[in-house]
Each structure stands twice: as structure tokens, then as C-alpha cells.
Amino acid sequence: MGQRTRRLRRGRALTTATAAVLVALAVPACSAGAEPSGSGPRSSGTTGSAPSPASSAAEPPSPPPSAYPLSTAPRTVPAVREHHAARGPGWKPAPAARVVVAPADRAALSDEAKLLAGELKLGYAESAEPGPGDVQLALAPKGSGPPESYALTVQGGRVRITAPDEAGVFYGTRTLKQEIRGAGSAPEGTVEDAPAKPQRGLNLDIARKNFTPAWIENRLREMADLKLNQLGLHFSDDQAFRIQSDTHPEIVSTPHLTKADVRGINALAARLHIAVVPEIDSPGHLGAVLRAHPELQLHDVNGRAVKGAVDIANPASARLVDELLREYLPLFPAGAWHLGADEYQALVVRDPQASFPKLAAAARARYGPTARVQDLATGWLNDRAAVVRPSGKTLKAWNDGFFRGGVATAAPDLQVEYWTGKEIGARPPLEYLSAGRKVVNLNDEYLYYVLGQPNQFTYPTGRRIYEEWTPRVLRGTTAVPARYDAQILGGRLAVWADLAGAQTQDQVAAGIRLPLAALSQKLWDARPPQAPWADFRALADRVGG
């Protein structure tokens, strides 16, 4: 994030099955002469005419399951957490096979079924009973497993994927897709799988660098295959404001996403079970807004304009930002919103009260004689949260927007997005955790992909994330105590476009591919990965797009 990068430098085995390497079984799964379209009834494969000599030849009987070796676990990214091995031929796509959903599950699972059918070149059908070679998707009773969990069973030449929610069924299809892509078949047995952390994703700075809708949608597809479920969109900063606005068109930059573009991105994300989390950062990082509204600019005691910072003592600043919040709330239907709150430049100086006496006076007027500028900034954050809260969305803010020892306190329902402990006055992670806050990990030591690598930032590597980082490593390289693990909700890899021209879109996509794969592994399974990095990287190459 602009100001920040000018000052900063940068439980079990992989499976419970026997071997780590999947053996691609030579014996194909059973299949029958189904209608390729999957929409009509299956044919028995016989007619009233006499059989041809070729068809009348006796076919050898299928070996019994006991004739097969015990299966090994599928190899996927992220790795499945549990596999119950079994004997049998496994499953592979056959020309007559279909992806089947029961009529009762059609509304919930038809998107997932049709997507998988297209990916594996299978038919699609609505049927209560699967046929030979079919893949059946079904919802289990609600509460029968954790959120996003699933079971995938390969038995008798068929596949059955069940889950207590649609996301879990979808993740089961991602596992099957990777099994086929990586090994050509799915092993006999049952996978039982669930994520260790509920928030897993990518944060994208589209303010400093314009990313096309097609590029963003391709990242969504890549994320979905890795079972990542959150895309943060930072679309307003000093350099640009990148989404069409009807209430304030004067602040919008060229090029930008239209609202139709955003609706398309959100629609695809919803089908892929990814929440798009927008961020209008304030009261800092508003340079694009201030170019159109210089009357809202913050000035210090000497009359100097403060880059990117609005005057939070001016009620007009709050009115404009709240108008934007209310405009964009309906555009983003997912369940979270990021309020920003980082690097407000009035608070990165040694003595904010002396440097910004107008803000200090406003703080005392609102909160009493001992209040300081940080209290006024906390009040700003709480006021913006109050605008968004009626939508029911989860509220987020950067960790350096929370302050210690003030008269005003940030609302307790705000999740802390922890990125740095290096700012003036920044607090270590334990202060938030010991206060009971929920925290999301965006540790700039491992998870910041800053274009151009300014200020000693270096591009994160998949290997370093895979071998060193865990969700409990919130700051630097040291993990917080395990007793706080449940308060750490997950993490995101963050792309910041500080030097926007340093990489093309394609270079960014290539650069984040392996870090995202490693991140997905560490957020899905809390156990240390068993495969060495070289094997994991080869697997990611094989099962990736």
C-alpha cells in the first residue's frame, strides 16, 4: 500500500493413506452405453437385431475388488486431509458417464454439476439414481459436517460427492477435477476433507494498476481450483479510483471497471463460491477523490497539504465517503466489507496533536479534554462501520487503524487485517488477540507481492510460504502461541501495484501462481506438509491450469 511500501522492507500426514504418490491404475472404471448427452434415458446397449461377431465375443469378467492393490490417496493442491483406502479399479471419465444431481438438489447444485461435466467432458443429468460410471453430487443434511467440508467416495465404478453445503460439494468437484488432471483417474476409497481456516484468498490492488475483467475472472477460476474463497478488491487509492460511480463520477479514473463488469465478476465469483470483498480505503489513500475535491484535503499546522488524507474534522469528508459506501453496498452482494483505515498520515508523525491542532481540537470536542487525534480517527472508522453494518456484512480494517490507550475504541465486531508491525505506533499481533479480536493474516514478510519490489520488498515465493509460514506467523517470522489459533481466521496473498509498470498482467499471474498454491495448502491443512517443496511444485504444475 502506497505510503507503507515507501517505509518498509519487506497434523497429520499429507494424507492418511499409504503412499504419497498416486498410482495411476491401468484398469479402467466401469462404464455403460449411456446417452452421451446425459439428458435421456440410458440404453441397455442392445437392439432386436442379431449381435455382430465382434459384439458376441465373450468379454473377460471384471476382476473382483480383492484383486486390486490397496489404493493410495489422491494427490491434489491443497492435499486432501483424510483418505480411507480401498481395493478396486478406481474411476476415470468414460464417454457414457454423466454428472448427476437429484431433482431435489437441482436448484442448489446444477451449476456445480454442469461446470464439472464441462471440465471432464461428461454428460449432465437430473436423476435420483446414478448409472454405471456416473458422478453423483448430493447435499447431506445441514450440520452433518463443518462448513465447506465434503466426502468423495469412489466405489463400484461410480463417484459420489456429498457435503452439508454447496461450497463443500463444489470443493469435492475440485478434488475430482485435479485427480483426473494429474493422474487420469480417481483412486478407490473415500476422501473426507475440510478446511482448517474459513478465509483463504487473494487481495488485489486494482487502484494503482488497471486489471481487466477477463484477467480478474481468470484469477477467480484459478483460486477456485485451489479452494480459495475470498478476493479482496482495493479499488480506491491516491493514484486512481477504478469503479464507475453514479453519485460521484468526477472521481472515477480512466480506465476503470464499469458496474456491469463488477456484476459479471461477482456473478462468476458466486458460482465459484468466492466472496468478493471491496475496499474503499479511508481516511487515507484518497488522493484520487481529493483531486476532484481539494476542499476536503487535510493540511498540517504549517498549511501543507497531506498526501491522500481527507480532513476528518470536516463533516463534508464523511458525507462524501458515506455516499460512496451506500452506492457500492448493493453492487457487492458477498458478506464482507473492508473499511481500510491504514496509514492516515496525521498519525504517522511523532506528535499528531502539535502537527494537526484542528484535528486535536475536534477530538477534544467530541470525546473530552484528554482525547487525541487517534480518537478522532477511531471515531471516523466507527462511523463508517455504522454505515455498512446494517447490510449484515462482516467488517474489516487494517491493523494500523486500531490504536492503544485511546478514549475511543474501535467497534468490537471489526476484524483486524494484520499486515505490518513496523508503522509508527503499530501494535504487535498479541495485543489484538489478547483483547479477543479476530485476525486475518496478510503478513507483509511473506504475503505481500509489491510490483517493482520497492523499499526492499521482494516478491514472495511459494517455497518460502510452504516451508516457513503458517497462519500463526502474523508478523515477521515468529508465530504467536497456539492458544490463539482459533482467532486467526485465515489469510490472503496481497498484490500491491506500487510500481504499476514493473510487471504486465501476465507476469503478475505467473508470479503469484505458486505463492497462491502454497498459501492454499497452508490454510486448508494445519499440519506440516509432508511432501518436499520440489514434489509439491511439480504437483502444482501438473494439476494446475
Side-chain angles (χ1 to χ4, degrees):
M1 307 179 72
Q3 296 288 339
R4 65 176 61 162
T5 57
R6 272 187 286 277
R7 287 191 298 280
L8 304 180
R9 89 158 289 278
R10 272 289 354 108
R12 280 152 69 166
L14 183 61
T15 68
T16 58
T18 53
V21 178
L22 174 64
V23 177
L25 299 173
V27 180
C30 298
S31 63
E35 294 287 337
S37 69
S39 58
R42 288 182 178 269
S43 168
S44 66
T46 63
T47 67
S49 60
S52 68
S55 64
S56 63
E59 294 185 3
S62 298
S66 60
Y68 294 91
L70 198 64
S71 65
T72 57
R75 300 198 64 215
T76 59
V77 178
V80 301
R81 295 177 67 178
E82 190 166 354
H83 178 252
H84 303 280
R87 298 181 187 276
W91 180 90
K92 62 175 59 176
R98 309 168 299 171
V99 181
V100 175
V101 296
D105 291 333
R106 177 182 60 186
L109 300 181
S110 60
D111 283 347
E112 289 78 5
K114 291 174 182 177
L115 176 62
L116 182 66
E119 291 168 332
L120 299 187
K121 297 180 172 57
L122 304 176
Y124 165 77
E126 295 169 13
S127 174
E129 295 297 330
D134 282 351
V135 177
Q136 183 185 31
L137 309 185
L139 286 174
K142 287 190 179 297
S144 59
E148 302 181 296
S149 65
Y150 68 92
L152 186 159
T153 299
V154 178
Q155 185 179 32
R158 298 185 181 95
V159 179
R160 178 174 168 84
I161 299 171
T162 61
D165 56 34
E166 297 166 37
V169 172
F170 179 69
Y171 294 141
T173 70
R174 301 305 87 195
T175 295
L176 183 62
K177 175 185 176 181
Q178 286 197 16
E179 289 174 330
I180 301 308
R181 178 176 282 172
S185 64
E188 202 84 3
T190 297
V191 168
E192 293 183 349
D193 208 6
K197 294 296 181 183
Q199 296 188 30
R200 312 173 301 278
L202 171 68
N203 213 69
L204 184 61
D205 173 9
I206 66 171
R208 295 180 183 88
K209 183 177 181 68
N210 180 62
F211 290 93
T212 65
W215 188 92
I216 296 171
E217 290 173 356
N218 283 336
R219 302 290 74 70
L220 288 171
R221 295 183 182 97
E222 177 183 353
M223 292 168 61
D225 282 355
L226 295 171
K227 302 184 176 78
L228 300 174
N229 66 358
Q230 200 172 80
L231 174 67
L233 280 187
H234 175 88
F235 66 89
S236 170
D237 213 299
D238 294 341
Q239 291 78 0
F241 192 101
R242 294 285 187 189
I243 295 179
Q244 171 190 345
S245 172
D246 300 319
T247 61
H248 288 283
E250 73 280 0
I251 70 174
V252 179
S253 305
T254 301
H256 61 266
L257 297 178
T258 67
K259 288 187 175 180
D261 292 332
V262 175
R263 291 187 187 99
I265 290 166
N266 277 313
L268 176 61
R271 292 194 297 273
L272 300 176
H273 298 276
I274 295 172
V276 179
V277 182
E279 180 193 357
I280 300 177
D281 205 348
S282 78
H285 293 281
L286 284 171
V289 171
L290 287 169
R291 280 194 290 278
H293 291 277
E295 72 279 6
L296 305 181
Q297 181 87 54
L298 177 67
H299 295 82
D300 68 11
V301 66
N302 297 312
R304 290 190 292 263
V306 180
K307 182 180 179 181
V310 296
D311 181 356
I312 58 176
N314 183 348
S317 298
R319 282 196 298 271
L320 187 147
V321 172
D322 289 349
E323 286 166 359
L324 293 172
L325 291 173
R326 291 188 178 98
E327 176 181 1
Y328 290 112
L329 275 170
L331 187 61
F332 290 94
W337 190 281
H338 204 306
L339 296 165
D342 65 305
E343 296 182 319
Y344 186 51
Q345 294 302 292
L347 292 168
V348 300
V349 297
R350 292 294 176 185
D351 188 348
Q353 285 64 238
S355 295
F356 299 95
K358 179 182 174 183
L359 298 184
R364 291 190 297 271
R366 181 171 182 179
Y367 294 107
T370 62
R372 293 172 291 168
V373 174
Q374 72 172 51
D375 296 302
L376 195 65
T378 298
W380 172 280
L381 175 59
N382 287 340
D383 291 344
R384 307 294 76 75
V387 172
V388 177
R389 189 175 289 112
S391 70
K393 297 181 189 296
T394 297
L395 301 171
K396 298 170 170 287
W398 297 110
N399 69 281
D400 50 328
F402 297 76
F403 310 102
R404 67 162 67 97
V407 176
T409 302
D413 60 340
L414 290 171
Q415 293 180 0
V416 178
E417 302 258 308
Y418 201 98
W419 71 277
T420 184
K422 304 165 189 170
E423 291 279 351
I424 293 174
R427 302 159 63 191
L430 284 178
E431 290 196 23
Y432 305 92
L433 295 167
S434 61
R437 295 267 184 194
K438 300 295 179 65
V439 178
V440 180
N441 192 324
L442 290 95
N443 184 346
D444 64 350
E445 177 71 24
Y446 291 94
L447 303 179
Y448 261 37
Y449 192 98
V450 184
L451 298 196
Q453 305 183 106
N455 303 294
Q456 297 182 303
F457 273 96
T458 57
Y459 291 128
T461 66
R463 180 170 191 165
R464 194 160 178 248
I465 295 169
Y466 186 79
E467 294 181 341
E468 300 177 17
W469 179 85
T470 74
R472 290 195 289 116
V473 180
L474 286 161
R475 175 182 180 177
T477 59
T478 303
V480 300
R483 66 180 179 272
Y484 294 115
D485 185 73
Q487 290 173 239
I488 301 169
L489 302 180
R492 296 195 304 283
L493 181 77
V495 175
W496 297 108
D498 287 50
L499 300 175
Q503 288 193 336
T504 65
Q505 289 189 131
D506 288 345
Q507 288 172 322
V508 174
I512 66 176
R513 184 180 65 86
L514 287 173
L516 277 176
L519 182 75
S520 78
Q521 176 62 46
K522 302 302 282 286
L523 291 171
W524 189 265
D525 192 343
R527 300 167 298 185
Q530 297 301 299
W533 166 250
D535 290 354
F536 179 86
R537 176 171 185 164
L539 177 63
D541 290 342
R542 189 161 64 250
V543 302

